Amino acid sequence: MNPDSSVLNGTVDIVNEGHLNGTAGDSSGTEEGKSFNMMPEVEMCQSVLPCHANHKGGLSAGQLLKWIDIIACLAAEKHAGLPCVTASIDDIQFEETVRVGQIINIKAKVNRAFNTSMEVGIRVVVQDVLTGVLKRVCVAYSTFVAKPVGTQKIRLKPVDCLTTAEDHLEYALASERRRLRLYNEDAFTKLMQDSHLLKGVANGKESSQISTERTRVQSIELVLPPHANHHGNTFGGQIMAWMENAATVAASRLYGTYPTLKSVDMFKFRGPSSVGDRLVFKAIVNNTFQKSLEVGVRVEAYDCEEWTRGKARHINSAFLIYNASSDKAQTQTFPSVKYTSKDGQRRYLAAIVRKRIRLARKHILSSKEEGPLSVPWDKSNQAYLSYNNVAALTVLAGKHGWEVNSSQPKIRVYMNEELDTLSVQVEMHVTVSSLQAFFLLSDLSLRPSWDRHYSSCEEVQVVNEDDKLYHITCPAVNKDKPRDFVVLMSRRQPCKEGDSYIVALRSVTVASVPPDPDYMRSEVLCAGFLIKDASRATCKVSYYNQVTSGVLPYIAGNLAGWSKSMEETASSCIEFLENVTDQKICAF
Ligand SMILES: CC(=O)SCCNC(=O)CCNC(=O)[C@H](O)C(C)(C)COP(=O)(O)OP(=O)(O)OC[C@H]1O[C@@H](n2cnc3c(N)ncnc32)[C@H](O)[C@@H]1OP(=O)(O)O
């Protein structure tokens, strides 16, 4: 680094390499001791005792968050060689309940150092003592900053010990995660600007709705030396544990149940607090979804003087997501809530927006490996494949748990997350008969004229009047190659009045269209349209897509909130359907 730039930026470089390599405080001096200290990873093992557990005998999430923060801090300090503070934590999903008697293993290491901040990756695994079975509890990513010296920020040395393929992958993904992290507030602000359109979705209409006000919780803590870290600041993990306590009380007040903490939304430690501060935790349920609810917690800090003057420092806000208790999770849904103030309305809408961003982040970052999704096409399995195509779309459309993601006149976007599968639904209200919409949408060769995700679409084979194979090419995104798909389109007219018209799509492999080196062959598992009469001259067109890794790049920006491609494509589809000439319909 140019030495002048550190002066210009008010940063100092870390040069204390000996300390970083563990020579400072290395008591052993043995080869074994040295190699331990050179290891980039820091590891903690804990036997879960009753004092770590909640009333149900499960490890308390607050305790786990404390351990996560301690170990992440130790990894950060190992890299920086200086005291470090937690700046933020990405979304954490708790996948497994840990019981008293089991063993928790937590590993943390710095994935990448940026300028003054670094990403620490943390993996938590539980081991059952009796069976030896290991299960993943959660993966977390924290951002740490070396504690500034006065106003001077510390520039960190880069991570240079990337040995395994996983190290390299985490290093590369760290910058992608940082992009989403730093974009989080902008994404939220942008989506909140359109949130008034969601007001009509629900509030206060049903008498059964519960007022969020009844879940309000306020709780105070005095920061004592055991709550502080080794530099006198309140430990981030301790603050998280207190937040979890207040949030759990709020969630349980909703309707007398013991909810289970499922995930913590990405949040930032806005400012420090220290021994002697009084921390006031204010928690309230912001909104409920079908199987989850969001509690917001605000943390205000006061030193002695601020306390008497009533002047708070807002040091933290976090959003915690609860499910119904795990034994009932499959069947129990939360009652819907209503707000009674303008502030309550803001929180209610913000929870919908956060859910949308969280879902997007989760699926964009999951880099899920999929087996082949296409099925080989041949004459002998044609009837089976067509049936399967139509049936899969019917099942997808009939799923419970569709939740509104965005709403505008004539167009509504819904998401559905079941286990790790994300599906989208785009509902369009069109002034055209359902029969006309059916003919136009089932002719995929017309789709490039209204869908900018299609560069071209050519008929490969006409199986019969209602089943055709198409080769679709799509534009490149994210500097990847353009993608192509080979799909089977199966269309069905309703058997009886009131049923929907169906246009189903799924990937197949055909010898006549082998993969082309200029394209990334991608797959669609289940997609298509359901079209239903709304009145004599209008219909509702619902487009569905079960998101695969091949489809995700085209909708990722939309999910995360920086693009409106789905709404724009829907708008273009409506325009196409409403303005198409009779000629095109006859041509089909
Ligand atoms: C180990 C513990 O338990 S510590 C206790 C809990 N944590 C705390 O008390 C920390 C309280 N927070 C703070 O003191 C401050 O907010 C600090 C020191 C973390 C950051 O100070 P700020 O002036 O807000 O940060 P600034 O804007 O200079 O950014 C500093 C770095 O953090 C990064 N950053 C800022 N916001 C975020 C965010 N939301 N997520 C991740 N990184 C972020 C910046 O990109 C920058 O990194 P870079 O230099 O590598 O580009």
Side-chain angles (χ1 to χ4, degrees):
M1 179 199 151
N2 174 355
D4 290 341
S5 69
S6 65
V7 178
L8 286 174
N9 298 333
T11 58
V12 287
D13 285 327
I14 289 185
V15 288
N16 191 3
E17 294 287 334
H19 186 60
L20 286 172
N21 288 340
T23 46
D26 182 352
S27 56
S28 69
T30 62
E31 281 307 304
E32 202 180 52
K34 271 187 193 144
S35 65
F36 172 77
N37 280 315
M38 294 281 284
M39 269 167 34
E41 210 163 62
V42 180
E43 190 168 350
M44 178 191 268
C45 248
Q46 296 279 351
S47 178
V48 179
L49 303 174
C51 62
H52 303 132
N54 56 27
H55 65 279
K56 290 186 277 185
L59 171 63
S60 113
Q63 177 62 60
L64 179 57
L65 291 168
K66 271 198 234 179
W67 285 334
I68 287 177
D69 194 48
I70 290 172
I71 192 146
C73 177
L74 294 179
E77 294 188 346
K78 188 164 191 180
H79 179 76
L82 290 166
C84 292
V85 295
T86 325
S88 72
I89 300 194
D90 293 1
D91 310 296
I92 306 180
Q93 328 268 348
F94 298 102
E95 297 168 25
E96 199 60 42
T97 305
V98 180
R99 302 258 156 229
V100 169
Q102 292 183 314
I103 292 169
I104 277 277
N105 184 274
I106 313 177
K107 289 182 183 172
K109 80 175 167 57
V110 174
N111 290 329
R112 188 165 184 160
F114 303 104
N115 300 310
T116 66
S117 67
M118 65 198 121
E119 181 192 277
V120 181
I122 307 115
R123 272 162 210 282
V124 184
V125 171
V126 61
Q127 182 180 24
D128 189 85
V129 176
L130 301 179
T131 61
V133 172
L134 292 169
K135 284 189 180 161
R136 189 167 86 171
V137 177
C138 65
V139 172
Y141 295 97
S142 302
T143 301
F144 276 78
V145 174
K147 202 174 171 193
V149 184
T151 54
Q152 206 153 38
K153 299 186 175 187
I154 314 286
R155 190 180 290 261
L156 298 163
K157 68 162 196 157
V159 169
D160 50 13
C161 49
L162 303 175
T163 43
T164 64
E166 198 197 329
D167 290 346
H168 285 274
L169 179 68
E170 289 295 343
Y171 181 86
L173 290 178
S175 64
E176 204 47 34
R177 284 188 286 261
R178 170 180 148 93
R179 202 167 69 84
L180 292 178
R181 210 171 278 146
L182 297 181
Y183 177 68
N184 189 39
E185 278 176 31
D186 278 0
F188 177 74
T189 312
K190 216 164 148 196
L191 288 173
M192 275 305 276
Q193 280 162 5
D194 289 341
S195 66
H196 61 280
L197 295 165
L198 294 168
K199 271 184 218 165
V201 172
N203 184 51
K205 292 196 186 78
E206 298 156 29
S207 54
S208 60
Q209 286 179 321
I210 297 174
S211 167
T212 53
E213 286 305 313
R214 78 185 239 185
T215 68
R216 220 177 245 289
V217 173
Q218 180 157 325
S219 177
I220 190 164
E221 300 285 351
L222 175 62
V223 182
L224 298 171
H227 305 132
N229 61 21
H230 41 305
H231 5 102
N233 286 355
T234 318
F235 232 121
Q238 178 61 66
I239 297 176
M240 289 193 274
W242 281 330
M243 286 195 299
E244 191 259 338
N245 171 55
T248 303
V249 177
S252 58
R253 278 188 182 164
L254 186 70
Y255 79 131
T257 179
Y258 295 116
T260 305
L261 183 64
K262 189 71 192 128
S263 62
V264 181
D265 202 63
M266 172 186 286
F267 72 93
K268 187 178 173 183
F269 286 97
R270 300 160 59 103
S273 63
S274 44
V275 171
D277 277 348
R278 290 110 242 252
L279 302 188
V280 176
F281 295 80
K282 295 178 176 170
I284 190 166
V285 170
N286 290 333
N287 204 341
T288 57
F289 305 99
Q290 292 179 14
K291 300 262 178 199
S292 65
L293 63 82
E294 182 199 274
V295 183
V297 191
R298 181 184 164 96
V299 190
E300 294 171 349
Y302 300 82
D303 65 18
C304 212
E305 197 204 327
E306 289 163 337
W307 187 238
T308 37
R309 282 194 292 133
K311 193 174 175 301
R313 278 172 288 133
H314 174 203
I315 59 161
N316 207 341
S317 280
F319 304 93
L320 289 83
I321 321 305
Y322 288 82
N323 278 1
S325 64
S326 48
D327 40 336
K328 292 188 188 165
Q330 290 307 314
T331 51
Q332 200 166 358
T333 53
F334 286 110
S336 54
V337 288
K338 63 179 174 200
Y339 48 80
T340 51
S341 65
K342 213 152 175 53
D343 218 29
Q345 180 189 68
R346 179 187 54 76
R347 287 195 301 263
Y348 180 95
L349 297 175
I352 301 175
V353 167
R354 267 188 299 274
K355 181 162 195 272
R356 171 174 173 185
I357 299 176
R358 200 164 45 242
L359 203 70
R361 263 199 307 262
K362 178 177 160 192
H363 288 274
I364 291 170
L365 292 172
S366 72
S367 54
K368 200 170 52 176
E369 290 284 328
E370 285 163 347
L373 305 174
S374 302
V375 277
W377 171 262
D378 84 65
K379 242 356 216 160
S380 64
N381 63 5
Q382 175 222 314
Y384 162 74
L385 271 182
S386 300
Y387 165 79
N388 175 275
N389 198 11
V390 171
L393 181 63
T394 312
V395 170
L396 177 62
K399 279 194 188 302
H400 294 290
W402 288 104
E403 286 178 346
V404 180
N405 232 259
S406 79
S407 176
Q408 61 186 62
K410 291 180 149 195
I411 300 167
R412 221 169 234 193
V413 177
Y414 298 81
M415 300 280 160
N416 185 317
E417 195 189 26
E418 207 177 66
L419 301 174
D420 274 343
T421 306
L422 178 69
S423 304
V424 294
Q425 179 192 159
V426 184
E427 185 183 282
M428 297 165 267
H429 293 270
V430 193
T431 312
V432 72
S433 74
S434 44
L435 181 68
Q436 185 163 335
F438 171 67
F439 281 126
L440 289 167
L441 293 172
S442 58
D443 183 356
L444 285 198
S445 60
L446 296 175
R447 194 151 160 180
S449 66
W450 59 267
D451 187 346
R452 66 177 151 113
H453 301 106
Y454 274 48
S455 303
S456 68
C457 182
E458 282 171 17
E459 226 170 69
V460 174
Q461 194 180 325
V462 178
V463 183
N464 56 44
E465 200 190 330
D466 289 326
D467 296 276
K468 288 182 185 173
L469 302 184
Y470 287 94
H471 180 220
I472 301 159
T473 64
C474 302
V477 275
N478 303 336
K479 298 186 193 143
D480 285 339
K481 280 190 209 170
R483 290 173 185 264
D484 71 341
F485 298 80
V486 179
V487 298
L488 164 69
M489 185 285 299
S490 309
R491 64 175 199 179
R492 300 288 181 269
Q493 301 208 32
C495 296
K496 60 177 191 331
E497 208 178 318
D499 281 358
S500 297
Y501 289 88
I502 298 174
V503 180
L505 304 170
R506 70 152 303 146
S507 277
V508 288
T509 48
V510 270
S512 58
V513 193
D516 178 337
D518 290 339
Y519 289 92
M520 200 186 301
R521 178 58 54 89
S522 303
E523 296 173 303
V524 51
L525 184 60
C526 175
F529 299 92
L530 254 61
I531 305 153
K532 205 169 181 164
D533 283 329
S535 67
R536 209 165 51 86
T538 63
C539 65
K540 186 175 85 176
V541 174
S542 300
Y543 171 73
Y544 296 87
N545 199 316
Q546 185 173 330
V547 181
T548 57
S549 58
V551 171
L552 186 65
Y554 295 97
I555 62 163
N558 201 284
L559 293 177
W562 64 70
S563 141
K564 289 198 170 174
S565 68
M566 279 200 277
E567 288 84 349
E568 284 159 7
T569 309
S571 189
S572 160
C573 179
I574 295 172
E575 200 185 322
F576 162 78
L577 292 174
E578 291 181 349
N579 296 316
V580 80
T581 60
D582 288 343
Q583 247 176 349
K584 277 192 177 147
I585 303 168
C586 296
F588 184 79

